[in-house]
Amino acid sequence: HLDESHRLHRWAIVASLTSSVGTSLGIVFVIGLLLPEIAADLDLSPSEQGWLGSSVLVANVIFCIPANLFTSRSRPWRTLSLLFIGIGLFTLLQAWSPILAVLIVGRIGMGVLFTATQSPRALILQQWVPKHRLAFVNGVIFAGIDLIMGLIFLTTPHIQDLVNGWRNTFYVWAGVS
C-alpha cells in the first residue's frame, strides 16, 4: 500500500502532521515572549515565572512514557485528532486562567497531551511513508516545524499588540491550533 500512487496523499499527511506539531510546539515555547506581561498581570515572583516556563517540560519528563504507552495502543488518527483538540482546549484554559495555578494546569495538560502525540505520529509515518524515505521525511518535518515555530515567534509580539494582551494572544493561538 506504499506504492507511488499514494505520494500526494503521503505529503498531505506529512504537511498535516508538520503544521499540527509546529503550531503546538510554537504555542508551548511562546510563553517566553509573553512571560513579562503575564508576570506583571498575575504578580509573579521570579520563582513562579520559572515554574510557569518549565511546567510543560516537567510534564513531559514525568508523563512521556506512560502517555505514549497508552496512545501507542489506540487508533493513531483518532488519537492524534483528539490530542490536538485537547491541546487547543488547554491553550484556551491558559488564556482564561485567573490565577497562576490554573495557568500551570493548562501548561501541564498541554505538555502531557503534546508528549502523548509522539507514538501516534510515529505509527502514522510508518504506515504512510516507505522505510527508505522515512529519514528524509523526518528531516522535512523538522524543517517545517522550525519554520512554523519561527513564524509564531515572529508574529506573536504583533498579535499581542493587535489583540491587546497575552490572554487574547493565547485565544488567537488556541483558534489556530
Side-chain angles (χ1 to χ4, degrees):
H1 76 121
L2 292 177
D3 61 26
E4 289 303 309
S5 66
H6 291 100
R7 183 186 322 204
L8 186 58
H9 189 74
R10 226 183 340 259
W11 284 109
I13 289 168
V14 167
S16 173
L17 289 175
T18 302
S19 65
S20 298
V21 172
T23 302
S24 297
L25 268 177
I27 294 168
V28 165
F29 290 113
V30 81
I31 191 78
L33 297 174
L34 302 174
L35 193 54
E37 188 176 337
I38 293 169
D41 185 35
L42 298 178
D43 194 31
L44 302 180
S45 70
S47 177
E48 291 169 326
Q49 292 176 50
W51 276 107
L52 179 61
S54 65
S55 57
V56 169
L57 298 175
V58 170
N60 289 351
V61 168
I62 294 170
F63 295 106
C64 186
I65 292 172
N68 281 287
L69 279 172
F70 177 74
T71 58
S72 67
R73 297 179 181 160
S74 307
R75 294 178 149 200
W77 275 114
R78 182 179 299 154
T79 302
L80 207 54
S81 298
L82 292 172
L83 289 169
F84 283 123
I85 289 168
I87 288 168
L89 293 173
F90 275 115
T91 304
L92 281 174
L93 179 65
Q94 291 173 72
W96 170 82
S97 60
I99 59 172
L100 176 63
V102 175
L103 186 56
I104 288 179
V105 166
R107 305 277 308 152
I108 289 172
M110 189 175 173
V112 169
L113 294 185
F114 183 77
T115 296
T117 66
Q118 293 174 23
S119 290
R121 282 185 296 154
L123 292 171
I124 289 168
L125 287 176
Q126 285 177 341
Q127 178 183 359
W128 285 99
V129 177
K131 191 174 184 176
H132 69 280
R133 295 215 185 261
L134 204 50
F136 171 72
V137 169
N138 272 319
V140 169
I141 289 171
F142 287 125
I145 288 169
D146 288 344
L147 175 66
I148 292 167
M149 288 177 58
L151 290 172
I152 288 172
F153 292 146
L154 287 172
T155 58
T156 292
H158 302 292
I159 292 170
Q160 188 176 8
D161 288 342
L162 186 67
V163 299
N164 196 26
W166 70 271
R167 292 180 189 279
N168 292 333
T169 303
F170 269 124
Y171 284 127
V172 168
W173 289 128
V176 170
S177 75

